[in-house]
Amino acid sequence: ETGNGLLKLKGDSKSPYFILTAEISSIYSHNGKTRRIHNILLAPSIEVVEKIIVALEKRGAKLASDGRPIVGIPSKEVLKIVLEASEKCMLIPAHVWTPYFGLFGSMSGYDSVEECFEEMSEHIYALETGLSADPEMFWRIPKLDKYTLISSSDAHSLPRIGRECNVFDLEEDEVSYDEITRILKEGDRKKFKYTLEYYPEEGRYHYDGHADCDVSLHPKQTAKLPKNKKGQALCPKCGTPLTIGVFSRTEQLSEREDGYVPKNVIPGKHFVVLEEIIAAGFGKAVSSKKVQEEYVRMTDQAKEIDILLELSEEELGKITGEETVAAIMKMRSGKLDIVPGYDGKYGKVSLFEEVIKKKKQVQTLFE
Ligand SMILES: [Zn+2]
Ligand SMILES: [Zn+2]
């Protein structure tokens, strides 16, 4: 621990700072419905974390079973527990639109922060957008204007750390747990520059659908389908209820036109994962040796975020080949064709398939 509420690796002067966070899944019954909600916890010290652990275990939680433990304690009670451990703790509802585990999810969520956290709602300052949604989708819902929107990696494996992230502008001596949580609580735009976002279509729950039947639907198509007694739209192939995606859910709660930008929002910048861009340029799989080697070579020479957003075409040319430069510039142009994800299946960026096809044509010319 470094004394500023953050941690560094022992004996590594270049170590990045780490903030103590955990995601916890609450499954419980509330107002006559089963709720499954994932929440992110932030804590200022290991001592506080230990207090939280003791309090959760007293309530019967088995925390050692999983990296993201499942507890039977309602979200509101978890919030009380962490604030009792320290007023500096924060609880941020995770990937709030995802159908099964989001605060606003179509399957087991709520329609508002207040419905979930009741008299404790004032202690919720921020919401996580999740991979299948971006800030623009929140901006259409007036009651969410007061929340700071964050984008985290929701990483369940190491390479995915930082796949979505929050970009702060801080001097080295300003970096501390207190400052980061202040920025989140106040939504300080001067310090919180932007979030780095997947194209929401790429996420696993953007459209409505039924994966087993390869059925993927735009909300307008879903609206035309027959429904069961519970009002759930049914899969046109097999008749089971569809998984209603993030796009539909935000449409349901939207009160403003698509494209509305409220005052003082923190913008989101969209990008495609660098390994995918390299793969597209080469016309190879992300997991291929060539792509992985090029990824390591490039990120040894420059910061990944600079490669994606900042470096000029000329500067990029100095650290990588023309295929990758071309693919990065295409990504930055934003002119992408994306097949949206649905019912747990990731979306696909198909603009790069064009690049791949062209490359194959060139190859066949010379074979
Ligand atoms: Zn989660
Ligand atoms: Zn089906």
Side-chain angles (χ1 to χ4, degrees), residues 64-219:
S65 57
D66 195 338
R68 186 202 48 229
I70 298 169
V71 302
I73 310 166
S75 300
K76 185 175 90 173
E77 300 302 319
V78 174
L79 175 57
K80 279 186 189 165
I81 287 170
V82 299
L83 291 178
E84 266 165 30
S86 164
E87 280 178 4
K88 288 185 175 187
C89 286
M90 277 182 84
L91 181 149
I92 303 175
H95 43 71
V96 293
W97 294 109
T98 55
Y100 294 100
F101 297 104
L103 175 61
F104 304 138
S106 59
M107 307 305 277
S108 44
Y110 296 89
D111 285 341
S112 69
V113 170
E114 289 74 15
E115 196 189 344
C116 176
F117 291 98
E118 300 174 331
E119 79 282 2
M120 296 296 286
S121 300
E122 61 177 312
H123 300 286
I124 302 295
Y125 298 94
L127 302 172
E128 186 191 51
T129 58
L131 300 175
S132 299
D134 59 12
E136 285 88 336
M137 297 165 78
F138 287 71
W139 297 345
R140 298 178 60 195
I141 305 166
K143 67 183 173 197
L144 302 184
D145 285 352
K146 62 182 171 191
Y147 297 104
T148 304
L149 303 177
I150 66 160
S151 283
S152 321
S153 48
D154 198 8
H156 297 275
S157 59
L158 212 46
R160 289 184 161 163
I161 282 185
R163 58 180 168 174
E164 284 201 337
C165 61
N166 308 297
V167 179
F168 298 103
D169 186 9
L170 295 173
E171 299 300 327
E172 175 81 28
D173 61 6
E174 291 177 307
V175 179
S176 70
Y177 178 89
D178 289 348
E179 177 65 358
I180 289 170
T181 49
R182 182 196 65 76
I183 293 167
L184 294 178
K185 286 182 177 177
E186 293 175 14
D188 182 348
R189 280 192 71 197
K190 286 202 185 97
K191 300 285 181 184
F192 192 167
K193 292 314 235 188
Y194 58 90
T195 57
L196 204 53
E197 304 280 338
Y198 268 32
Y199 286 88
E201 298 88 343
E202 277 192 276
R204 295 192 294 156
Y205 292 104
H206 190 69
Y207 263 27
D208 306 329
H210 186 211
D212 289 345
C213 293
D214 290 325
V215 167
S216 165
L217 299 166
H218 185 279

Side-chain angles (χ1 to χ4, degrees), residues 233-298:
L234 303 175
C235 172
K237 280 198 186 166
C238 74
T240 56
L242 292 176
T243 299
I244 299 303
V246 164
F247 189 13
S248 263
R249 255 317 256 172
T250 56
E251 287 276 311
Q252 276 172 9
L253 297 179
S254 286
E255 292 173 35
R256 296 172 176 148
E257 287 299 299
D258 190 11
Y260 182 90
V261 184
K263 273 184 201 157
N264 296 323
V265 288
I266 293 157
K269 290 190 184 184
H270 292 89
F271 79 110
V272 176
V273 177
L274 182 56
E275 287 156 293
E276 279 179 32
I277 298 173
I278 299 169
F282 287 151
K284 294 214 179 272
V286 169
S287 57
S288 68
K289 202 176 161 201
K290 188 168 178 187
V291 170
Q292 289 302 321
E293 280 176 358
E294 184 61 13
Y295 175 75
V296 171
R297 221 176 54 80
M298 288 176 77

